[in-house]
Amino acid sequence: MLANLKYFARHSIIYSVSNVAAKAIGVVLLPLYTKYISLSEFGILGILEVTLLIAVEFLNLGQGQSLVMLNNSQEYLGKRKSMLFSITSFSVIVCLVFILLSEALLPSISKFFSEPSEFYNYLRLCVYIISLRLLNSLFLNKVRADERSILYTGINLLKLSVSLGFAVYFVAFAKIGILGVFYSYLIAELLIFIILLPLMIPHMSVSFDKKLVLLSIRFGIPLIFGSLAMMLLNVSDRYILKLYTNYATVGLYDLGYRIAGVLNMFLIMPFTLALMPLAYQFYGKDGDKRYYTKIMTYLTFILVWAGLALSMFGKEIIKVFALNTQYWNAYHVVPIVVFSYVFFGMRIVASLGMFLTKNTKYVAYTTTAASLFNIGLNFWWIPIFGMMGAAYSTLISFVLLHFVTNYYSNKYYKIPYENSKLAMCITIGVVLYLISSQVNDFQTIVRFPVKIILVFLFPFILYVFKFYEQVELSAIQGFFLKWKNPSVWKDTFNSEMKKVIGK
């Protein structure tokens, strides 16, 4: 069991490198954006970026997750090459139709915005970014399905580096504002497509399998609604904020959301990338439920601990990276959104029962219901509480989604999660944060040490409440012994990487 969990953790760590880099680049760019882009323009950028995410999710038609399922299911091992060619061909057709329709409609659509010519340029760039990102995402899902986590990470690091370099040039030197941000995205996506396509061709056979495509669509279509609903759950508040407030408020909220999103990028996304390929492999084997149970417990522990630290120091982090003082009030939403992400991560594991038994339509049902509930709350609370209303709406919706997901997932494949331990983690984390909030107005020389002590107390308080099993305490001791000597860190790291590559 521990060996399997360690293997899972190693892949998650490798995936996390690219996500850490993505968030690190986002943080590096914040001083650039806050210096050269106004708060209102930052709000426009935030809305356009979430529109990109929604469009990619919709046009993907669930084919990325379908590819992972087909690639890693024993039933279709002999059809991997025709499967990849067929799904890729279908996605190319979708992209071409999307481009043709967009070119025809964008001149009319752009007239609905305050600056039609500017928004026409923004939206036209977005069309080609979306198309390239869709195909790149499909190819990267193939890399992920084959458990080539190092290749996956290397490609993403290259993409991020190129995007960073061009963003700095276009924004700071060419001074073309958010248009330059989209140029940097387009160049990076095009480069990655040029690299990935030759890598994918050897894994294809020119054979269009209509049956596989139809199966992939049947599996993926319910996930479209689930993915779109999840996107709306995450981003609809930006649109409603703009409806009731202004781009400056959207910019503040978006900045706070980005800081809280560190938890998503560093931990949840790499965890998700590693989870599904391995979950399908363990499904139905001896000890699979115990494996999924411990994944939920460990994930919740890590998310609460990391989220506690991020929430406590949210104000300080924003002050360091936002050069313009107009951005500083964004810190108010950070702890609320962080707490939302904890339940978002837990919900991913809770949904395993539906994915493993191929009951993906219930993923769509539950996520759509939570999204509609969230939109309703936003329309109610944003006019009253502004961006704080949006933050609390997100929190309540994610809590509800987790519990509803867990209920329906257990109807198809009941997994005995350690609910008392999960509740213990969350309760202790909330109590420690509330204690830390009492020292926010103290001098830095007092505030920082108190917060640091509270963060480090978290795992020890859990020990007092008998959170850990004996085998886990032994594993922690073994981990400490392995890494306690810095002089052998390089050899230990190389050894761990060989295990992943060799596996």
Side-chain angles (χ1 to χ4, degrees), residues 40 106 131-132 171 268 327 340 349 409-410 416 421-422 431-432 446:
S40 293
L106 279 182
S131 300
L132 287 168
V171 175
I268 298 173
Y327 285 81
S340 304
V349 183
S409 198
N410 280 339
K421 290 187 177 183
L422 305 182
V431 170
L432 289 174
V446 176

Side-chain angles (χ1 to χ4, degrees), residues 156-203:
N156 276 290
L157 288 176
L158 175 62
K159 173 183 169 181
L160 293 166
S161 300
V162 171
S163 181
L164 171 65
F166 279 101
V168 170
Y169 169 73
F170 287 128
V171 175
F173 296 98
K175 293 186 177 4
I176 56 175
I178 60 178
L179 190 66
V181 177
F182 290 113
Y183 276 132
S184 70
Y185 290 165
L186 180 63
I187 293 169
E189 294 292 348
L190 181 60
L191 175 63
I192 295 307
F193 179 76
I194 293 170
I195 292 171
L196 279 173
L197 183 59
L199 294 177
M200 293 296 108
I201 290 174
H203 297 278

